[in-house]
Amino acid sequence: MQNENLVQISFFNQLMLVHPRKKQNERSEASVQVSEYFVNAEGTGDKVNLSDLLGTVEKTSGASNKTKKQLRNLQSSKETLELPLNKQQTEKIQRGIAYEKTTAEVSCWKNIILQNQKAEQMVFPLNQESSGPKRVEQVVAGWKVQTPLEQEIFRLLHGSRQPVNDPVLTPVEEQSLKAMSLEEAKIRRAELQKARALQSYYEAKAKREKKIKSKKYHKVQNKAKRKDFLKQFDEMVKTNPEGALEELKKMELSRMEERMSLKHQNSGKWAKSKAIMAKYDDSARKAMQEQLQMNKDLTQKMVVPSDDEHESIEEGLETVPDFVNDPETVIDPVNPWMRGQLTHEEPEVSCVTAEEVQTAEEENEEEEIIGEFERKRKLRQADEEDLIPTEEERKKTQEEDEDEEEDVSEFNTLFRLMRSEKTREGSNQTRGGLNTAGEEDEEGLLSEGQIRVRSIEDLEVLDEVVEPRAIEEPSAPQTAAAEATSEPPHKKKREINLKEVLTKEAKAVRLPFLPTVVDEEERDEQISIIKEAFAGDDVISDFIKDKSRQEAAGRPAVVDLTLPGWGEWGGVGLKPPRWKRKRFRIKTAPPPPRQDQKLPDVIISEKRTASVASHQVSQLPFPFQNTAQFESSIRTPIGSTWNTQTVVKNMTKPKVVTKLGAIIEPMVKEDFIKSKTTAAGGKGAAIMLGENRRAKEGTKRTKILALTELPTA
Amino acid sequence: MAAVTPEVLTSTHVEKMKKKKLPKRYWEETEKTDQSQRRPEEEQGKAGQNQNKSTVKEKSLKRKNGESLEKKDPFPGEAPIPQKQLQKFQRGKKCKVPAGARERLKEAIAISEAMSEHAQKQAARYDLLLPEDAGFLEGDEDEDTNTISQADIADAVDITSGSKYFNLHLSQFGPYRLDYSRTGRNLLVGGKKGHVACIDWQTKDLKCEMNVMETVNDVNSLCTLRSASRWLHTEAMFAVAQKRWLYIYDSKGVELHCVKKFNDVLRMQFLPYHFLLATASATGFLQYLDVSIGKEVAAICTKMGRLDVMAQNPHNAVIHLGHPNGTVSLWSPNQKESLVKMLCHRGAVRSLAVDKTGTYMVTSGLDRKLKVYDIRAFKPLHSCFLPAGASCLSLSQRGLLSAATGEIVQVYQNVLGSNPVSKPYMAHRLRGQIWGLAYCPFEDVLGIGHGEGFTSMIVPGAGEPNFDALDTNPYRSHKQRQEWEVKALLEKVQPELIGLDPGQLSKVDQASFEQRHKEQIEALGFDPLAKDKFKPRTKKKGRSSAGAIEKRKRKVAHEDQRDEIRQSVQERTEREKELKEKSNEKKLGNKSTLDRFRK
C-alpha cells in the first residue's frame, strides 16, 4: 500500500515538473504517521471524543478537581443538548420583549396626553415661569426639609437666628418697584418719540433748504452761519475751552486747505471770463473782489489763544463741579429733577417774552429740544453711573481717582454748557448768581402752573383763554345765524312752520265714550249685516277649497303601471280589471300627518326650507349619540349680544395659546413626572434653587415623537 | 429635635401666604365665639392626614386665640341669584347624561352644561343693570283712565315729558303715514299728497322736508309714501314708496336711489338685522331689497291681489300680509309660497300687528272684529267687536295695543293674554281720519298720522324702559353710530336664515341623502354626482363615420342598466337554485340515492 502511495506521489511529482507553475504548499495536518513526502489523511475522519480527553485530564496534575468532576458528569449524562431556536423564533421573542418594554415606557405618557387633549386651553411653551426675580418667600414656599443634612443645616440656621426671609420684599414694594420702572420707560419712550419726530422735521427742513437753487439765498445763509459760528466761538472760548480748541483746529485745517487749493484765487474759468468783463461790468468786478476777499479771510492766520484761556481750561479741569459748593436749595423734595441748579432753566423758559421767542427761538428751537433731551438722558445716565460707583468707590482704592476726575470734568463741561445756553436764552436774566437762586426758585414754583409760551400761535391761544367772555357774547347771534343757514334751502315751499306749531297749544279733546267693545253674544245682528255685505264672496268655502287642494298636493301620487290590452280586451272606456289594478298600481307610504291637521282655519306649508339646510349640521358630531344631545349642547349662544363680556371671552377662548417668538420645545418626560410628584406631595412647586433641572439631570429626552416608531410584534 | 424645626419654619412661610388680613368688620366680635367653637373640630378632621400640619395650625390658633380670632365673612361665597331671574335667562332645556354613556360623551355634555349654566348665571347677575321700570297711568277712584285727556297728562308730568304731547297741523297734504327710527329719535312723516318730512321729534328739529310732487304710499326710516315711507337701518336713509317707484333719500332729503324694480309699492317693512326692505305692492308682489348691497333678494308673486296690509314679526323676520279675502299669510324670502295662511276674518283684513316677542298677532278686519292670535300655535286667543272697526293697529314694546277707530285712537292694556279686553286704557280723539299709528321705541309716546297732520300722544307704560345700548341706543353719539353700523353689518343675518323657526340653524338637518341630493340638483341646476355621457373617440381612416360611431355607442349604451339587470338575474337564479335544493331536500327527506332499491 505504501508502495502504491509512493508510486502515486512520484507520478504526481512528475506531473508537477511538467507543470511547474503551481507551487504546492506544504500541508501541516496532525496525523499519527508523519512523513516528509506526503500527508497522511488517516485520522481525519475520527472525532475527538470526550473519553480521549478525559484520559489525559486524569493524568495531568494541573487540572482542577472541579473541572474533572464536571467532565465526568458530562460523560455520564446521556441527555443531548437542546437545539438552539432558529433565527425567526428568537427574533420574534426578542421583539415581544422589546414591545412590552417600550409599551411600559410609552404608556406613562398616556395620562398626560389624555389630560392635554381634554384641557380647555393649552398654553405653550409649557412650564412658563414668570419673568423677573422672585420673592424669596415664593421660592421657599414649597420647600420641605427632607434629608438629614438639610435638617441639620436648618437647625443650625434657626439656632443662630439667621434671618431666613430677611431680604423679602413685600408685594407692595415689589409693585412700586415695577411701577417705577414702567413709568420711567414710558417717559423715556415719549422723549425718544418726540426727539425722533423733531429730528425728522429737522431733516426734512434741511433737505428742503438744501434743494433751494438760489445762490443768493445760500450765500446769505452761509454768511449768517459764519457769523453765528463766530459768535458761538467767542462764547465757547469762555465757557468750553476744549471745544473751542477743537474748533480752532478745524479752522486751521480749513485754512490749510484753502492755501493749498486754487479755489478763490481767481484762476478758474469763471474768474477768467469775469476778468475780461471786469473792465465794463461793475458787478463782475465786485464779484471778483469778493472772491479775493474770501481768500484773504480764509487764509488769515487765527489768533493764538491767550494765557487767560489756558487758565480757563485749567479751571475746567477742576476735580469738583462748581455747584457742589453751592448750598443746595431744595424746591421739591419729592421730585429729583427739581434738585440742583441744572433744572433751573425750565422755569426760565416759561418766562421768556414773546419777542424773544420770535427772534431767538424760532430758528433753533428744534435743535434745542433735541439737545435738551440728549442732555437729560446723559444726566440721567450720569446720575445712575454716579450712584453705582459711589458705593464701589468706598471699597476700592485710589487707583480710580483719575477716572473719577475724568467723570467729574465731563460733568463740569456739561454743566458749563447748560450755563452758557442759559445766558444765551435769557439775556435779561444775566444774574444767574448764587444769591438770586432762591428767588429764581420761587419764580419757578410760581410759574410751574402756567402755560409755556413758545410760539406766536401759542400766544394767540393764550389770548383766547384770557378773553373768553368777549367771544361768548357775540356767539349767541352767531348760533342763531347758523340755525338760519342750517335750514333747508327750499324755504319758500315749506308748509310746516315748526315754531308756530310748537308755540300753539294743542286743543284738548274730550272723549265721548261709546261702548267700544261689544261681547261676542251681542253680535248676531252684526253677523247678519256682514253676511249681507259679503254675500258674493264666500271666504270660508274658498279657504276650505284651498286647503283641500294643498292637502291633495301633499299626498304622494299612486304610481299606475297598468298596461291596457295585456291579457284582455282593449279599447276606449274599458277599465283595467281589479287584479291588474291591485297588482300594477303601486301605493307609496302615506306622509306624516300634516301640521295643520287639527287647525281648520290654517294652512301650513309642508315644504322643506332648503336654504337653511346648507348652513345646518347634517351629520351628528362624534361624541353625541342623538340629535337632542347635540342640539342642547349648542343651545347657548356665544355672541356678545346675549352674553356678558367675561362669558363671551371664556366661551371663545382659543384652544391653544402660544407665546410669540418663544420656542416650543417638545415635552420632556421629567416635566410631567415632576408635576405629578409635586401634586401628590402638596401644593406649590418644588424649588430648584437656581438650577435648571433638565440640565442638571442630563437625562436623555424621550419625546412624544418616539410614539410613532413603536415596534409591532 | 429634628421634627420640631421644620414645623416652625413652615409656619413662618406658609402662614404668610395663607392668611391675608381681612379688613375689620363691625360684626367681628359676635363671630368670635362661633369661630373658637368650630375650629377645633375641623382641626381634628384633618389631624389624621398630616400630623405635622395639624400641630402647626393648632399652634397658630392658640396664638390667635390669645390675640384676636380669625375673622370670617358672614355671607360666604357668591351672592345668590333669585330663581326668577335665572329662569329669565334659561335657554332651552338641560340635557341629562344618559345612563350608559361613553366617557367622551359624558365629558362633552358636562362641559357644555357647565358653560351654559355659567352664562345663564352671569346674565342673571348682570340683569341688575336694567334698573328702569315702565310707567303707568292710574285714575282716581271711579275714574276711568281713558277719560283722562292728553292735556291733563301733559300738565301733570314733568316739562320734558309734557312736551312729548304735541300736534303738527298739516292740513294741506294729509293724510299722513309715519315711522319712527329704530332708536326712537327721529320721526318720518309722509303725507299722501307728497309731503315728506324728517324730524328729530324730541328737539323738534326739522332735519329735512320736501314735497316729492306725487302721491306717497308709505314711508320707512327706511319707510314709504304713495300712501306710505320708512327709516332704513340708520337715520341716514329713508325709503319712500311713491306713486310708481320706490325712492331712497338721505337724511337731508337728497334722492339717493330710485329703485325701479320696485313698482307700485303700497307698504314697506324694514328687517333691521337682515338689512332687508320688504315691500308689498299693488300688483301683488312681495319683494325684498337688501339695503346693504342694493340687491333684490327675492320677488314673490303672492297671487293675492292688492297688498296693503303688512307687518313683520320681529322675532323671526317673517312678513305677515293681510288680504281682502280675510286671510293673513306669512312669508319668507326663501319660499315662493306662503309659509302659513290663516283665515282670520270674514271680511278683508284691515290691519295687522305682531308683538315684539313674536308670540301674538293682532288683526282687525272689515267685519269690525279685533282678534288676537297666538302665532306659535296659530290659534285664536280671543276676539272682540269694535263698533267702528280698527283701521290701524300698533303694538308697543311693552304690549300696549293702539287701535284707530275712525277719528279716535284707543289704547288697550293687557290685550296679549287669554283674558278678553273690556275697555280701553286710554283714548284720544283727533280731527281727521287716522292713517298711521306707530309707537316710538323707548318712549311713552304714540305717533298718530291723520288727515290734519301729526299728533304725538303720551301713553304711559308704552315704551321699553331699558335699552340695549349696543343695539339701539337713543342717546348714541355720532361715533357710536358709526361703530354700531359697522358691527351691525358684520353681524348681518343672511336672508336664507329667515324662516318660521329662528332656531332652525341650531338643529341637525335630518333629511335623507336622496332628499338632499334632490335639493342640490334643484339648487345647482345639474346633478353633481351624475356620470358623464359616453363620448366616442374620433378615429381615423374612416372609422369615425356616423355609422361606426353609432355602433360604438350602442356597445356601451345602457351599460349601467345592463349591469343592474345582469346582477338581478344572477341573484334570482341563485335564489331559485337555493329554493330548489330546499324543496328537493324536503321532498326526499333524509332519503339517499340508494333508498330507491329498498322495498
Side-chain angles (χ1 to χ4, degrees):
Chain A
M1 181 149 160
Q2 257 194 8
N3 292 341
E4 278 177 23
N5 272 345
L6 276 172
V7 171
Q8 276 177 358
I9 281 172
S10 63
F11 180 60
F12 182 75
N13 282 347
Q14 277 171 355
L15 273 176
M16 289 299 288
L17 285 171
V18 175
H19 305 283
R21 268 176 294 176
K22 281 185 184 173
K23 202 183 176 186
Q24 193 75 23
N25 282 338
E26 196 175 321
R27 296 178 74 174
S28 59
E29 270 130 293
S31 63
V32 185
Q33 292 170 332
V34 182
S35 162
E36 55 183 309
Y37 300 111
F38 57 88
V39 178
N40 190 2
E42 202 176 323
T44 47
D46 303 340
K47 281 177 184 171
V48 179
N49 281 327
L50 192 59
S51 53
D52 301 341
L53 294 175
L54 260 181
T56 52
V57 165
E58 295 289 340
K59 284 167 195 166
T60 50
S61 56
S64 63
N65 283 332
K66 204 178 177 185
T67 48
K68 279 178 194 172
K69 204 176 181 182
Q70 275 176 346
L71 285 168
R72 242 174 270 140
N73 280 343
L74 263 176
Q75 204 182 11
S76 60
S77 70
K78 277 168 187 173
E79 287 171 17
T80 53
L81 275 177
E82 277 179 46
L83 270 177
L85 288 171
N86 60 5
K87 201 182 167 192
Q88 281 79 5
Q89 273 177 320
T90 48
E91 274 180 355
K92 191 176 179 183
I93 289 163
Q94 277 169 356
R95 264 184 277 139
I97 291 162
Y99 171 72
E100 266 166 31
K101 258 189 189 174
T102 38
T103 41
E105 197 178 315
V106 167
S107 63
C108 71
W109 287 88
K110 202 173 172 185
N111 273 331
I112 191 76
I113 288 168
L114 256 179
Q115 199 180 309
N116 286 356
Q117 274 173 352
K118 277 183 205 167
E120 279 180 37
Q121 193 176 40
M122 291 290 292
V123 181
F124 291 108
L126 296 166
N127 299 331
Q128 276 188 52
E129 284 169 21
S130 59
S131 61
K134 273 184 180 174
R135 274 185 289 131
V136 179
E137 248 180 312
Q138 282 175 340
V139 176
V140 177
W143 175 259
K144 255 188 185 176
V145 181
Q146 286 168 335
T147 60
L149 176 67
E150 283 170 346
Q151 284 176 356
E152 194 72 26
I153 290 167
F154 269 87
R155 203 181 307 144
L156 278 175
L157 277 176
H158 198 70
S160 62
R161 302 227 165 252
Q162 184 75 17
V164 182
N165 50 358
D166 194 15
V168 170
L169 289 173
T170 61
V172 180
E173 280 172 335
E174 204 177 38
Q175 229 165 24
S176 71
L177 265 175
K178 265 186 192 170
M180 272 294 282
S181 66
L182 184 67
E183 257 178 15
E184 217 166 332
K186 270 185 183 166
I187 290 166
R188 185 164 294 188
R189 207 186 65 177
E191 271 179 11
L192 275 174
Q193 268 176 347
K194 197 173 178 187
R196 234 178 287 132
L198 285 175
Q199 202 176 350
S200 71
Y201 296 153
Y202 189 62
E203 273 171 8
K205 197 182 168 189
K207 225 178 192 177
R208 193 169 11 94
E209 279 175 356
K210 207 180 165 191
K211 254 189 182 173
I212 295 171
K213 278 182 180 166
S214 161
K215 274 184 185 166
K216 198 171 181 186
Y217 169 81
H218 281 294
K219 219 180 269 174
V220 171
Q221 205 74 357
N222 281 339
K223 216 173 194 179
K225 255 184 205 169
R226 217 176 303 136
K227 244 184 203 171
D228 212 39
F229 172 73
L230 277 177
K231 222 188 240 171
Q232 237 174 359
F233 180 74
D234 284 345
E235 270 170 27
M236 210 186 265
V237 167
K238 285 171 206 157
T239 54
N240 186 8
E242 264 183 59
L245 258 180
E246 258 175 41
E247 289 298 319
L248 256 179
K249 270 178 195 167
K250 265 187 206 166
M251 279 165 136
E252 193 65 24
L253 199 76
S254 72
R255 184 174 155 263
M256 273 150 80
E257 274 171 359
E258 178 63 26
R259 272 159 64 92
M260 269 153 66
S261 75
L262 295 171
K263 208 173 181 185
H264 299 115
Q265 309 275 29
N266 278 356
S267 57
K269 222 181 192 178
W270 173 83
K272 274 172 189 165
S273 71
K274 284 282 162 184
I276 295 164
M277 291 297 293
K279 223 177 190 178
Y280 316 103
D281 197 351
D282 230 21
S283 62
R285 210 180 305 146
K286 220 179 225 171
M288 283 185 64
Q289 273 169 359
E290 252 173 47
Q291 284 260 310
L292 285 173
Q293 186 61 39
M294 180 89 78
N295 185 30
K296 222 183 214 174
D297 286 348
L298 282 171
T299 47
Q300 213 169 22
K301 214 174 185 187
M302 284 306 296
V303 190
V304 182
S306 64
D307 291 358
D308 303 64
E309 280 164 357
H310 276 294
E311 280 173 27
S312 71
I313 291 166
E314 277 172 81
E315 273 174 38
L317 290 171
E318 276 176 350
T319 49
V320 186
D322 298 345
F323 68 84
V324 171
N325 295 327
D326 301 344
E328 191 182 297
T329 50
V330 178
I331 306 152
D332 190 344
V334 182
N335 192 348
W337 299 110
M338 297 299 281
R339 211 176 293 147
Q341 286 182 330
L342 298 177
T343 50
H344 283 200
E345 56 157 356
E346 279 197 7
E348 279 169 10
V349 170
S350 65
C351 299
V352 176
T353 59
E355 290 156 318
E356 280 167 347
V357 167
Q358 274 183 42
T359 54
E361 286 206 344
E362 243 177 348
E363 287 177 0
N364 39 3
E365 195 180 33
E366 292 140 29
E367 295 167 80
E368 267 176 38
I369 291 167
I370 293 171
E372 224 171 45
F373 283 136
E374 277 173 17
R375 250 170 277 137
K376 271 188 188 171
R377 211 171 302 134
K378 269 187 196 166
L379 270 177
R380 202 177 300 133
Q381 279 174 359
D383 273 2
E384 286 166 5
E385 281 168 7
D386 277 6
L387 274 177
I388 300 160
T390 45
E391 290 174 2
E392 292 171 359
E393 273 161 15
R394 274 182 231 150
K395 299 164 195 170
K396 288 176 184 174
T397 52
Q398 294 176 345
E399 290 173 359
E400 290 179 8
D401 275 6
E402 292 170 30
D403 297 13
E404 203 179 290
E405 267 181 14
E406 275 181 356
D407 273 359
V408 175
S409 66
E410 251 185 61
F411 209 165
N412 251 344
T413 50
L414 259 177
F415 179 57
R416 285 260 162 81
L417 219 139
M418 312 275 295
R419 270 284 179 82
S420 71
E421 215 165 79
K422 235 192 295 173
T423 49
R424 195 172 9 121
E425 273 181 44
S427 57
N428 55 343
Q429 297 180 335
T430 44
R431 6 171 199 178
L434 306 176
N435 304 338
T436 52
E439 287 175 54
E440 274 182 292
D441 293 346
E442 277 179 356
E443 270 182 19
L445 270 179
L446 285 173
S447 61
E448 246 184 346
Q450 291 174 359
I451 307 151
R452 254 185 239 178
V453 183
R454 295 232 170 193
S455 61
I456 305 166
E457 289 96 348
D458 283 7
L459 264 182
E460 282 171 3
V461 170
L462 249 186
D463 278 355
E464 279 179 16
V465 173
V466 173
E467 306 175 334
R469 293 286 143 75
I471 298 164
E472 256 181 66
E473 279 175 354
S475 72
Q478 260 183 15
T479 50
E483 275 178 2
T485 53
S486 72
E487 280 165 358
H490 39 265
K491 203 173 174 183
K492 301 163 214 162
K493 275 197 210 168
R494 187 197 255 206
E495 300 87 11
I496 307 172
N497 195 340
L498 255 186
K499 280 191 181 151
E500 256 189 47
V501 168
L502 293 178
T503 45
K504 265 188 192 173
E505 270 192 28
K507 271 187 188 173
V509 181
R510 282 225 67 82
L511 201 78
F513 268 99
L514 331 157
T516 48
V517 180
V518 185
D519 285 358
E520 292 272 314
E521 295 143 1
E522 295 174 13
R523 66 197 171 120
D524 289 341
E525 330 159 24
Q526 307 281 350
I527 286 171
S528 61
I529 296 167
I530 289 161
K531 266 186 184 169
E532 272 177 45
F534 302 106
D537 39 21
D538 190 354
V539 173
I540 296 170
S541 70
D542 277 355
F543 190 82
I544 290 169
K545 266 184 206 168
D546 195 5
K547 182 162 184 180
S548 61
R549 211 183 305 136
Q550 289 261 352
E551 280 173 353
R555 249 176 260 133
V558 178
V559 183
D560 195 356
L561 295 173
T562 51
L563 287 172
W566 282 92
E568 79 216 0
W569 288 107
V572 184
L574 280 176
K575 260 190 180 178
R578 207 171 158 201
W579 67 269
K580 229 182 191 183
R581 265 184 283 156
K582 212 177 182 181
R583 187 160 172 201
F584 290 109
R585 288 181 66 174
I586 300 161
K587 280 178 192 169
T588 46
R594 283 180 68 91
Q595 281 177 290
D596 53 11
Q597 207 181 17
K598 287 174 185 174
L599 299 166
D601 55 348
V602 178
I603 305 170
I604 299 174
S605 164
E606 294 282 318
K607 250 191 182 174
R608 208 172 90 85
T609 50
S611 58
V612 192
S614 59
H615 300 281
Q616 273 175 310
V617 176
S618 56
Q619 277 173 334
L620 199 62
F622 159 55
F624 300 103
Q625 286 175 331
N626 56 36
T627 51
Q629 285 168 3
F630 173 65
E631 278 162 15
S632 87
S633 81
I634 59 166
R635 72 178 193 270
T636 310
I638 292 174
S640 58
T641 316
W642 300 274
N643 287 313
T644 58
Q645 198 57 44
T646 49
V647 173
V648 172
K649 262 191 186 169
N650 208 1
M651 282 175 136
T652 57
K653 70 181 173 190
K655 180 100 177 139
V656 173
V657 176
T658 54
K659 198 179 162 193
L660 206 68
I663 298 167
I664 300 169
E665 285 182 59
M667 205 179 208
V668 182
K669 204 173 180 181
E670 284 76 45
D671 281 344
F672 63 88
I673 286 174
K674 183 183 75 183
S675 66
K676 213 190 273 175
T677 53
T678 50
K683 44 102 197 184
I687 40 166
M688 296 298 302
L689 286 166
E691 284 156 329
N692 188 357
R693 184 157 195 159
R694 285 180 197 177
K696 194 180 102 187
E697 294 187 355
T699 50
K700 64 170 180 186
R701 292 182 167 184
T702 45
K703 296 172 185 179
I704 301 178
L705 291 175
L707 277 173
T708 54
E709 297 167 3
L710 270 182
T712 47
Chain B
M1 185 62 198
V4 178
T5 42
E7 277 171 30
V8 176
L9 258 176
T10 44
S11 73
T12 52
H13 299 305
V14 176
E15 295 295 311
K16 265 192 183 176
M17 297 276 287
K18 264 192 168 179
K19 279 149 202 168
K20 270 187 186 173
K21 269 196 179 174
L22 289 170
K24 269 203 171 184
R25 309 279 189 199
Y26 64 89
W27 58 73
E28 276 177 355
E29 297 205 342
T30 54
E31 282 292 302
K32 257 185 193 176
T33 50
D34 255 287
Q35 292 278 323
S36 57
Q37 284 171 359
R38 215 194 299 164
R39 268 282 152 165
E41 290 169 19
E42 288 176 12
E43 236 42 56
Q44 280 175 1
K46 284 181 184 174
Q49 297 173 355
N50 193 342
Q51 278 209 336
N52 275 0
K53 272 196 177 175
S54 66
T55 48
V56 171
K57 275 204 174 169
E58 273 169 347
K59 266 190 181 179
S60 66
L61 237 193
K62 272 178 196 169
R63 198 178 58 205
K64 291 240 162 169
N65 266 335
E67 293 159 20
S68 66
L69 262 181
E70 194 183 353
K71 308 308 181 292
K72 215 182 176 191
D73 190 356
F75 310 109
E78 294 178 317
I81 311 163
Q83 199 59 37
K84 213 175 175 185
Q85 264 179 4
L86 270 179
Q87 213 144 28
K88 192 173 158 190
F89 293 97
Q90 174 101 38
R91 295 206 163 87
K93 276 178 196 167
K94 259 191 178 180
C95 179
K96 275 180 189 170
V97 183
R102 269 176 273 147
E103 195 62 28
R104 289 290 290 274
L105 176 61
K106 271 184 199 166
E107 272 162 24
I109 290 174
I111 287 170
S112 80
E113 284 305 326
M115 192 52 86
S116 53
E117 200 173 318
H118 176 59
Q120 183 191 356
K121 266 188 186 169
Q122 285 297 316
R125 276 193 200 290
Y126 277 59
D127 196 27
L128 168 120
L129 299 177
L130 308 174
E132 301 297 329
D133 272 332
F136 55 90
L137 187 63
E138 201 175 48
D140 294 334
E141 282 177 33
D142 303 332
E143 189 191 19
D144 272 340
T145 49
N146 55 31
T147 56
I148 301 170
S149 73
Q150 281 295 309
D152 289 343
I153 295 173
D155 281 342
V157 296
D158 58 299
I159 296 171
T160 38
S161 299
S163 72
K164 285 169 187 170
Y165 167 61
F166 63 89
N167 288 299
L168 302 178
H169 289 286
L170 311 161
S171 51
Q172 239 178 322
F173 299 103
Y176 281 85
R177 287 191 60 82
L178 73 151
D179 186 36
Y180 284 100
S181 67
R182 250 164 64 71
T183 55
R185 290 294 298 206
N186 294 301
L187 170 71
L188 187 65
V189 187
K192 173 122 181 151
K193 289 166 190 162
H195 174 220
V196 180
C198 162
I199 311 159
D200 184 342
W201 67 272
Q202 277 174 341
T203 58
K204 273 79 175 182
D205 185 14
L206 186 65
K207 292 216 164 156
C208 82
E209 184 183 35
M210 60 184 165
N211 198 318
V212 296
M213 306 302 281
E214 57 181 351
T215 49
V216 166
N217 287 332
D218 194 10
V219 288
N220 194 326
S221 7
L222 214 146
C223 243
T224 60
L225 312 174
R226 193 154 69 189
S227 35
S229 48
R230 292 250 120 196
W231 285 107
L232 288 184
H233 61 283
T234 64
E235 296 84 17
M237 281 199 290
F238 61 87
V240 181
Q242 295 180 17
K243 189 179 179 184
R244 294 209 56 188
W245 290 307
L246 173 70
Y247 288 79
I248 294 177
Y249 298 91
D250 81 346
S251 61
K252 282 174 187 163
V254 180
E255 181 184 315
L256 296 177
H257 304 290
C258 167
V259 192
K260 292 195 177 175
K261 257 193 173 176
F262 291 65
N263 57 330
D264 303 316
V265 176
L266 292 178
R267 291 286 178 274
M268 294 188 289
Q269 284 292 333
F270 184 63
L271 311 174
Y273 297 105
H274 302 76
F275 285 86
L276 286 180
L277 179 70
T279 62
S281 71
T283 54
F285 271 88
L286 172 67
Q287 285 166 298
Y288 288 85
L289 175 71
D290 192 326
V291 173
S292 62
I293 54 175
K295 225 173 81 179
E296 188 190 41
V297 170
I300 303 162
C301 180
T302 59
K303 299 169 194 164
M304 301 286 240
R306 187 183 162 87
L307 306 173
D308 57 352
V309 180
M310 189 187 200
Q312 66 162 304
N313 185 342
H315 179 58
N316 53 13
V318 163
I319 294 291
H320 293 223
L321 294 174
H323 304 290
N325 61 0
T327 56
V328 170
S329 55
L330 276 58
W331 300 85
S332 90
N334 304 311
Q335 204 163 320
K336 294 289 177 195
E337 63 179 41
S338 61
L339 300 171
V340 177
K341 201 188 274 181
M342 38 200 310
L343 184 65
C344 295
H345 294 277
R346 309 194 63 181
V349 178
R350 287 183 81 186
S351 185
L352 261 179
V354 183
D355 94 306
K356 197 179 72 172
T357 59
T359 317
Y360 303 103
M361 176 175 75
V362 185
T363 63
S364 72
L366 267 183
D367 56 359
R368 291 187 261 175
K369 267 197 229 166
L370 183 82
K371 286 189 172 179
V372 180
Y373 278 86
D374 182 347
I375 45 172
R376 294 173 301 180
F378 307 109
K379 275 178 184 164
L381 289 175
H382 53 87
S383 70
C384 59
F385 193 83
L386 299 178
S391 63
C392 285
L393 290 175
S394 176
L395 274 169
S396 84
Q397 286 176 322
R398 302 263 309 163
L400 295 189
L401 174 73
S402 63
T405 53
E407 295 182 343
I408 302 167
V409 173
Q410 300 175 0
V411 181
Y412 293 95
Q413 214 175 12
N414 303 324
V415 183
L416 310 176
S418 51
N419 47 335
V421 288
S422 52
K423 60 179 181 182
Y425 168 58
M426 287 180 77
H428 186 57
R429 164 157 284 186
L430 298 147
R431 284 271 185 79
Q433 186 73 19
I434 295 166
W435 267 62
L437 275 182
Y439 279 100
C440 179
F442 309 112
E443 292 283 350
D444 288 346
V445 165
L446 172 66
I448 307 159
H450 49 85
E452 294 293 307
F454 170 80
T455 301
S456 170
M457 173 184 167
I458 300 173
V459 182
E464 176 66 45
N466 299 301
F467 56 86
D468 179 357
L470 293 176
D471 185 29
T472 44
N473 185 356
Y475 308 108
R476 68 188 173 192
S477 62
H478 181 64
K479 204 80 194 162
Q480 280 172 322
R481 193 192 68 74
Q482 286 178 331
E483 230 159 80
W484 165 85
E485 194 168 354
V486 172
K487 272 181 194 158
L489 280 168
L490 286 174
E491 288 171 3
K492 176 186 153 187
V493 186
Q494 289 303 318
E496 293 100 73
L497 303 181
I498 297 177
L500 269 183
D501 180 10
Q504 186 68 31
L505 191 63
S506 65
K507 283 176 182 158
V508 178
D509 183 19
Q510 284 173 321
S512 62
F513 175 78
E514 285 85 20
Q515 201 171 351
R516 248 181 273 151
H517 183 61
K518 216 189 282 173
E519 274 163 15
Q520 205 178 6
I521 292 168
E522 226 166 84
L524 294 172
F526 64 92
D527 186 358
L529 301 178
K531 270 186 183 174
D532 285 339
K533 218 178 172 188
F534 174 69
K535 240 185 201 174
R537 226 190 305 164
T538 48
K539 290 186 175 177
K540 286 178 181 172
K541 296 182 185 172
R543 278 186 290 181
S544 242
S545 66
I549 284 179
E550 208 51 40
K551 247 185 207 170
R552 262 188 281 154
K553 267 188 188 170
R554 200 156 308 156
K555 271 185 204 164
V556 195
H558 315 299
E559 195 62 37
D560 299 341
Q561 223 171 342
R562 273 192 218 162
D563 275 342
E564 260 173 46
I565 291 165
R566 221 172 280 146
Q567 214 173 343
S568 67
V569 166
Q570 204 181 337
E571 271 173 24
R572 209 192 301 153
T573 49
E574 273 175 17
R575 220 184 304 140
E576 274 171 13
K577 222 182 187 178
E578 265 178 38
L579 277 175
K580 225 179 188 179
E581 277 176 12
K582 265 187 186 172
S583 62
N584 270 347
E585 270 182 22
K586 265 186 187 171
K587 232 190 256 169
L588 297 171
N590 291 329
K591 283 176 187 170
S592 68
T593 44
L594 294 176
D595 280 345
R596 61 183 129 159
F597 300 113
R598 272 191 196 154
K599 281 203 172 174

